[in-house]
Every structure is written in structure tokens, then in C-alpha cells.
């Protein structure tokens, strides 16, 4: 192990000592950039590559050692405490330095060192053995958000394709509900409105916490407030953003679509619909027949939707010259408009009905609807909102998009829905590895939420071999104890990792993987507007290798090395080629694919085949669901399952914390000095008093899935009947475990996501 960098723990803490966590992140970033880099250093660029904001980083290297990390670019992603502490990831005490094989029981972390040749030969042999026994579908490959650059996870996908097609997971831990809604409605996923947040007049932060999850551009929110904008937070918990907002609106978990429908009803009955926008830029006027299907002029032409022309009162193609669709059709038994269907679903949701279901006061429902519809530049921020991770999260997302369509609050500065979004919304990018000449077979995936259950049951395929990288399978995924059972049940389990995570302790073969500043790559992703080069600044610790090199070595042993192995610079060029951005450009510094503020769906131009926003989701109908937004009661809740609620009466949600990104950074010794070393559970004073719990008590949150020891935070800044757990704690860390041992593993029905925020629990003193 090389010598430690010069920035020590005391310096790190001094920079943070007088600030809050979020403010401290920015303060330290500024302090690190206050002076020009010393000429004695060589500098290299990179980015935090896990599922965060992909802020630009600069490593300052002397004598082959990283001595400090900073930032040298003007765009809004500046490194926070996590980014600056990456120096302690490269030089971590628990770095995995060599290939190892297990010599103890799975989970005991007992390994012995082996050579790379032995490790790779063994893995290749196990892959061949698994294919012989159960076909390539018996191979499970998992990767996720631990590294979201443009080479690492795609290299794994390519490897599986060259093997003929393997089992993978479907959906995501975070936001599949958004994908299931945005693709049919607007034709594109991963679009964000961050560039014009400061031009909004009314901002609803719905179920999320930008001060923590968007801290790199929180200054846009502050600028909006300076310009007179009102910020409202809708969340069961008064989060960090809500403390700085104009209004906090607590809501019962899983009821967000009822609130959206109530707002839609009030906007409609008060004549605040943007009729012109609906007619010109949406399918609100498309006609729906008695069979519940959209009417078309030509059944062979899927885009030939019919409308009733308000000029001629005759049926016409929606895109025929001069046609102005009627938005509602009265007294016609043969058809009605999509807008009518939408308003029918909203009709039961009077302000009083919304209050009964959601706990949001009727007067507040009216206020939200009025202010959103009349502020002229209204924006909804739903990025990674907890409401998405419920059984019917897609309905809530759809309700938010309906609000934008119905009021014309989209496609203009200061409007829209702020989701996750990066350079990929602005330009096309390619795959780093050429595709195999023969297409791989289609293999049924495992729903992300059901990973443990499906592997144990052999659904849809019996798994003989499991390879995982860039994700915390053990401790992050829902129903964590069942996932551990599944890991133990698979004949051979391989983990590529940089540090000894809980997942790594279960490996049969453990491979040392590089971390940022130890490899070359490119970030052209879905979290930052800039395409960034990731440069190798120092030699890898020990014998660590990049994941794409590992797959190249395995490809040699499996007969397709000549097709798979591509020099890393060529892989980067392959990614960049469709965008028109060159390797030489990003070598000089980060490049944004467009000039000026980015406005998604500008001037009402959407990415659907018609160029219009679609309120009628035919993919939903194909799955047996109503094609327009409706309210559906989540099952794991006091209302949805009264019997279970007798045993576990409290609803548990998850929150993201500033100290980590999912499970990333959780063992970083500098961050351990800055932030608490134990997880907390936030609960309302009434719920705590009923159980004899006081502030700071050691408690156990529990249900039939598991038990989560934690520490109680007791106050009135959360809705009664709701607990808030922290996301990302490692299994066994500081004597605690992950809150994921409790979480619901029901599949979000439309997006194949998770339902972790639809979880019933109880809590008791430890």
C-alpha cells in the first residue's frame, strides 16, 4: 500500500466543523479550489461515477500518489464531501488487493490469495460447466449503480450477449415507475429541467429532497427563491428541503396519485385547463371507442388517431391540416375523448375525499391546484421521489405529468418535471463493445424486487453461476435476508469489487476491481449534462483491474477474445461517435452536447411517434391496466391490509442521507468522522410515547422479514403512523444492519420496480 495523501482527517474535519452537512459539502469543495494547483502536481480528471450527480473531479498527483482532490471546471457539479473523500477509497484500509478464493463459509470473509490466472481459469470453467448443465440462461449477471460510467456495466452486458444471452434483472431499485410512465407519455426517459429551475415561479418538490440529492445545483433553488418563487415540499417527512421551503405538505405514503387527481379535478372544474396546449401538443382529444380502445383512421397506421374536429364537427385525423380537436364530446354513445376519461378518474377526488385518503387538508388541495395552475411557470421536482417506490408508483408519476400537460407547464423555461437527466437526453451515444454477429437469445429476466425469491425458486431459470459487480446485492436490495439466502443457494458466486463489502464476503472467487483514478473511461450518462473523460491518475492498488479488462481476459478463455477485446481509447471513441463529440475534445475538459439552457420538450415537441404528449398509455392497457391515471390502494398498508396492520401498524419509508450514495461510501473513514456512525429511525412523538420510546433510545424496527437495530429520532416532523428509515447501511456495520431486511419485495406493477416505501413495521425499545 502506498503512503497516505497529505490531506488528513484533521484538515477534512476542520473544513466541515462549522457547517451543516450539505453546506459543508459545498464549503469544502470551494476551499479545495481556492488556489491554483501547485505546479509540482500532475492533474487528472474524472467524476464520481456511482448513482449521484457525476460531479467533475480533479486528482492532484505527486510521486505516483493522489495527494488531494478538487475541481477545475465551471459547470454546476462540484464535488461534495463524498467526492473529496474518494482519496480514502483509493487508499482504503479494506481495499481488495488480490484475487482470492473462499476458504470459509459464505459470509465469513475468509479467503486465501490466488493468482489472476487461477481466478480467471476457474471462472471460465464454471461458466462452461453452468452452460452445459442449464444453458446460458443459468448464468446470472448483476450490475447496478455503483459505477454508472459508459464502459463498466455495458462491458458486462456485452459479455453476456457473447455468451448467447444470460439472465439479468428487470427494473431498478429507484425509479422504474418513471420509465413506465414517461416512455408512453412523452417518448423519452431521463430528462431534467435543472437549467431553468431558477426561472420557476412555483416549485413542488414531490416526495424528494433536493438539498440532499441535488446539492450540486441547490443554488438554482436559492436563486428561484430570490426571484420570488414559492417552494412546496410534499412528503411524509419534513426533510431538509422542507425546512427551507415555503410550505411542507405531509402525505400518507402511497396516496400521491389521489392528491394529483384531486388537483386535476379542481383545475378542470375551475376552468384552468390550457386548452390551446392540449389541442396542439397532446392527445387529449383522441377518441376512445366503446371498447375502450383508441380510434384510428387506418388500423395499419398506429399514428392515425381520430379526433372530432371542432370546426366541422366531423371525424378527422388528429394531424390533418387545420384540424382543431374537440377536447370533450357530449352525448355520444359511440366514443369519448381521452381528456374525458382522465377527468372521469379525477371526478371522485373532491378536496374532502383527497383529505380522507391522503391526510392533505382539503384547503391545501385547493391551494396546491390553484397555485400550480396560475403561477405561469410551475415545476414539479420528482427526481428519485420515495412515492415512486410504491406498488403503484407509476400512477403518481402519471398524475404529475397530467398536471403539467393540462396546464401547459412543460416545454418552457421554469416548467416541466425535473427527473434524473444527463447528456444522454441531448445526444446519442454508442456501445463500447461491438455487438456479436449472432443475436443473443431472449432470456426472461428476474424482477429487481424479487431477486431473492426468484433465485431461490429457480424462476424463471435455475441459476448455476452468478457474477456481480458495481452493486450491493447484500444489504441494498429488498427483503435482504431472502437475498442472502439466494446468494448462499447458488453453486458458484463471483464478486468483482474494490473494497470488502458485505456482498464481497459471500464470494467463491473475489476479484480486485479498480476504483476512480485507477482506470481510463468516459462518462456520458443520465445524471450530468457534461460528457467527461475519466483518466487514470495512479497505478491500481495491488493487482486490481478494471471490469472491462477482466471481461476481456475471460473472453479470451471462452473463445471470443478477438471480438471482445478493444483498446480502451477505442471503446471511448465508440461511445462518443454517434454524438459527434470527439475524444480530443473531452481530453481538454468536460463537454456539454448543447449550448445554452436545456429545456426538455421545448415548444411542446415530444419524442412520441406523433410528436405529441399521450395521456392514454396503450402499454398500460396491454398489461391489463386502465390506460389513464387512476388511484389504486397499495396492499402493504393499514388500509390495504388491515389484518397485517394489527401486527405491524406503522408505515416505513426510506430516505437518502448525505453521507452515502446507496451503499457506496458507507465505510469511508473520513465520512465516519464527519457523520453519525449509527443508523436512525425518525418517528412521530405520539408513536414514540405509545411505545415508551424517547429521543436517542436504542430501538429495533421489525416485521416478519427481519429486525433492524437503530437509534430513535423523536419529533413532530413526520406524519403520525409513519417511520423513516435510512437507506444504504451495510450489514453488520458498527454492529447494525441494513434497513432493507424489512423492505417489501412486491414488484411495482407497471415499471417492474420496487415497493420498499410500502412496508409495514413496528418498533420497540432494544
Amino acid at each position: 500500500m502506498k503512503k497516505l495523501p497529505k490531506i488528513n482527517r484533521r484538515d477534512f474535519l476542520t473544513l466541515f466543523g462549522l457547517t451543516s452537512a450539505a453546506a459543508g459539502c459545498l464549503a469544502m469543495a470551494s476551499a479545495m479550489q481556492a488556489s491554483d494547483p501547485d505546479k509540482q502536481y500532475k492533474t487528472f480528471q474524472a467524476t464520481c461515477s456511482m448513482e449521484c450527480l457525476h460531479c467533475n473531479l480533479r486528482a492532484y498527483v505527486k510521486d505516483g500518489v493522489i495527494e488531494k482532490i478538487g475541481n477545475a471546471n465551471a459547470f454546476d457539479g462540484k464535488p461534495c464531501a463524498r467526492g473529496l473523500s474518494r482519496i480514502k477509497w483509493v487508499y482504503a484500509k479494506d481495499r481488495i488487493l488480490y484475487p482470492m478464493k473462499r476458504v470459509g463459509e459464505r459470509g465469513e470473509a475468509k479467503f486465501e490469495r490466488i493468482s489472476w490466472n487461477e481466478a480467471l481459469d476457474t471462472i471460465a470453467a464454471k461458466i462452461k460447466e453452468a452452460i452445459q448443465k442449464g444453458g446460458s440462461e443459468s448464468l446470472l449477471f448483476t450490475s447496478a449503480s455503483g459505477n454508472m460510467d459508459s464502459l463498466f456495466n455495458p462491458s458486462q452486458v456485452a459479455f453476456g450477449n457473447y455468451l448467447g444471452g444470460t439472465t439479468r434483472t428487470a427494473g431498478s431499485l429507484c425509479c422504474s415507475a418513471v420509465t413506465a410512465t414517461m416512455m408512453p407519455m412523452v417518448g423519452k426517459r431521463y430528462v431534467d429541467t435543472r437549467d431553468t429551475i431558477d426561472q420557476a415561479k412555483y416549485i413542488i418538490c414531490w416526495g424528494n429532497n433536493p438539498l440532499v440529492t441535488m446539492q450540486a445545483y441547490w443554488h438554482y433553488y436559492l436563486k428561484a427563491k430570490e426571484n420570488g418563487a414559492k417552494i412546496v415540499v410534499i412528503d411524509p417527512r419534513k426533510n431538509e428541503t422542507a425546512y427551507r421551503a415555503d410550505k411542507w405538505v405531509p402525505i400518507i405514503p402511497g396516496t400521491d396519485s389521489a392528491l394529483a387527481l384531486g388537483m386535476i379535478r379542481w383545475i378542470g372544474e375551475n376552468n384552468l385547463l390550457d386548452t390551446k396546449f392540449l389541442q396542439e401538443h397532446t392527445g387529449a382529444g383522441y377518441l376512445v371507442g366503446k371498447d375502450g380502445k383508441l380510434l384510428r383512421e387506418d388500423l395499419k397506421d398506429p399514428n392515425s388517431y381520430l379526433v372530432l374536429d371542432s370546426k366541422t364537427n366531423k371525424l378527422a385525423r388528429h394531424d390533418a391540416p387545420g384540424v382543431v380537436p374537440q377536447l370533450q364530446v357530449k352525448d355520444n354513445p359511440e366514443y369519448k375523448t381521452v381528456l374525458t376519461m382522465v377527468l372521469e378518474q379525477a371526478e371522485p377526488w373532491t378536496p374532502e375525499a383527497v383529505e380522507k385518503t391522503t391526510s392533505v387538508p382539503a384547503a391545501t388541495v385547493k391551494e396546491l391546484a390553484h397555485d400550480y395552475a396560475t403561477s405561469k411557470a410551475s415545476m414539479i421536482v420528482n427526481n428519485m421521489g420515495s412515492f415512486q417506490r410504491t406498488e403503484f408508483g407509476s400512477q403518481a408519476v402519471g398524475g404529475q405529468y397530467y398536471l403539467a400537460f393540462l396546464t401547459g407547464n412543460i416545454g418552457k423555461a421554469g416548467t416541466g418535471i425535473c427527473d434524473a437527466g444527463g447528456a444522454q437526453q441531448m445526444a446519442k451515444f454508442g456501445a463500447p463493445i461491438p455487438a456479436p454477429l449472432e443475436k443473443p437469445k431472449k432470456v426472461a429476466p428476474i424482477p429487481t424486487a424479487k431477486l431473492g425469491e426468484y433465485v431461490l425458486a429457480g424462476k424463471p431459470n435455475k441459476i448455476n453461476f452468478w457474477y456481480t459487480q458495481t452493486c450491493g446485492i447484500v444489504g441494498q436490495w429488498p427483503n435482504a435476508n431472502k437475498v442472502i439466502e439466494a446468494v448462499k443457494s447458488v453453486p458458484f458466486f463471483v464478486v468483482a469489487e474494490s473494497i470488502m463489502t458485505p456482498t464481497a464476503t459471500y464470494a467463491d472467487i473475489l476479484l480486485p476491481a479498480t476504483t476512480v483514478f485507477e482506470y481510463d473511461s468516459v462518462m456520458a450518462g443520465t445524471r450530468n449534462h457534461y460528457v467527461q473523460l475519466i483518466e487514470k491518475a495512479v497505478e491500481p492498488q495491488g493487482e486490481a483491474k478494471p471490469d472491462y479488462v477482466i471481461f476481456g481476459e475471460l473472453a479470451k478463455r471462452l473463445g471470443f477474445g478477438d471480438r471482445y477485446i478493444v483498446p480502451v481509447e477505442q471503446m471511448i471513441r465508440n461511445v462518443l461517435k454517434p454524438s459527434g463529440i470527439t475524444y480530443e475534445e473531452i481530453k481538454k475538459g468536460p463537454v456539454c452536447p448543447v449550448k445554452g439552457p436545456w429545456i426538455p420538450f421545448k415548444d411542446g415537441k415530444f419524442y412520441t411517434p406523433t410528436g405529441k404528449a399521450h395521456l392514454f398509455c396503450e402499454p398500460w392497457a396491454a398489461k391489463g391496466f386502465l390506460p389513464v391515471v387512476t388511484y389504486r390502494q397499495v396492499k402493504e398498508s393499514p388500509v390495504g391490509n388491515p389484518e397485517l396492520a394489527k401486527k405491524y401498524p406503522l408505515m416505513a419509508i426510506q430516505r437518502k442521507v448525505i453521507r452515502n450514495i446507496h451503499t457506496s461510501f458507507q465505510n469511508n473513514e473520513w465520512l465516519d468522522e464527519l457523520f453519525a456512525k449509527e443508523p436512525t429511525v425518525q418517528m412521530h412523538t405520539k408513536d414514540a410515547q405509545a411505545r415508551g420510546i424517547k429521543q436517542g433510545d436504542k430501538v429495533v424496527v421489525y416485521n416478519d422479514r427481519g429486525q433492524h437495530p437503530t437509534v430513535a429520532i423523536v419529533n413532530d416532523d413526520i406524519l403520525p403512523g409513519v417511520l423513516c428509515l435510512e437507506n444504504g447501511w451495510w450489514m453488520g456495520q458498527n454492529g447494525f444492519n441494513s434497513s432493507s431486511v424489512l423492505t417489501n419485495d412486491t414488484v411495482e406493477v407497471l415499471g417492474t420496480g420496487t415497493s420498499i416505501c410500502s412496508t409495514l413495521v413496528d418498533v420497540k425499545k432494544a
Side-chain angles (χ1 to χ4, degrees), residues 201-266:
K201 299 301 180 186
Y202 187 74
I203 301 173
I204 299 178
C205 299
W206 203 318
N208 63 11
N209 190 9
L211 183 56
V212 168
T213 60
M214 300 179 181
Q215 76 276 9
Y217 48 98
W218 173 248
H219 59 93
Y220 290 149
Y221 292 86
L222 297 178
K223 180 88 174 285
K225 283 185 69 69
E226 289 175 8
N227 293 337
K230 183 177 181 180
I231 298 179
V232 176
V233 173
I234 301 172
D235 195 280
R237 166 182 168 265
K238 189 174 184 180
N239 58 38
E240 289 86 343
T241 302
Y243 276 106
R244 292 156 179 82
D246 297 280
K247 191 179 186 68
W248 170 47
V249 180
I251 187 170
I252 294 173
T255 65
D256 301 80
S257 58
L259 174 58
L261 287 166
M263 292 170 65
I264 289 167
R265 183 187 191 278
W266 193 91

Side-chain angles (χ1 to χ4, degrees), residues 22 49 86-87 116 141 151 205 207 223 230 278 330 351 358 517 562 566 601 603 614 650 656 703 712 763:
S49 56
R86 291 212 63 130
I87 204 165
W116 266 107
F141 285 86
L151 300 190
C205 299
K223 180 88 174 285
K230 183 177 181 180
L278 289 169
K330 297 181 179 180
T358 68
F517 292 122
D562 58 331
V566 181
F601 318 118
D603 301 324
H614 289 175
L650 301 175
K656 298 180 184 294
N703 59 18
V763 59

Side-chain angles (χ1 to χ4, degrees), residues 93-112:
K93 294 178 180 177
D94 57 352
R95 275 297 300 265
I96 299 169
L97 299 175
Y98 313 104
M100 294 185 284
K101 67 179 180 181
R102 178 172 59 85
V103 293
E105 296 297 319
R106 283 183 177 168
E108 286 187 331
K110 292 182 179 179
F111 297 98
E112 68 178 20

Side-chain angles (χ1 to χ4, degrees), residues 678-713:
E678 51 194 16
T680 66
V681 57
Q682 185 177 357
M683 59 191 307
H684 193 273
T685 304
K686 292 180 180 178
D687 296 321
Q689 289 176 344
R691 293 162 176 80
I693 294 171
K694 297 179 181 178
Q695 171 74 17
D697 279 351
K698 297 288 180 69
V699 298
V700 177
V701 185
Y702 62 98
N703 59 18
D704 288 343
R705 301 183 187 98
Q707 296 191 355
H708 174 55
T710 182
V711 178
I713 295 177

Side-chain angles (χ1 to χ4, degrees), residues 123-174:
I123 293 169
K126 291 295 183 179
I127 289 174
K128 292 176 182 178
E129 180 183 327
I131 293 174
Q132 186 176 17
K133 288 182 178 179
S136 63
E137 59 268 34
S138 74
L139 306 173
L140 172 61
F141 285 86
T142 50
S143 61
S145 59
N147 190 334
M148 295 178 68
D149 76 5
S150 300
L151 300 190
F152 275 55
N153 289 343
S155 69
Q156 189 194 84
V157 173
F159 186 78
N161 288 339
Y162 275 99
L163 290 172
T166 62
T167 298
R168 297 191 63 83
T169 55
S172 74
L173 295 175
C174 293

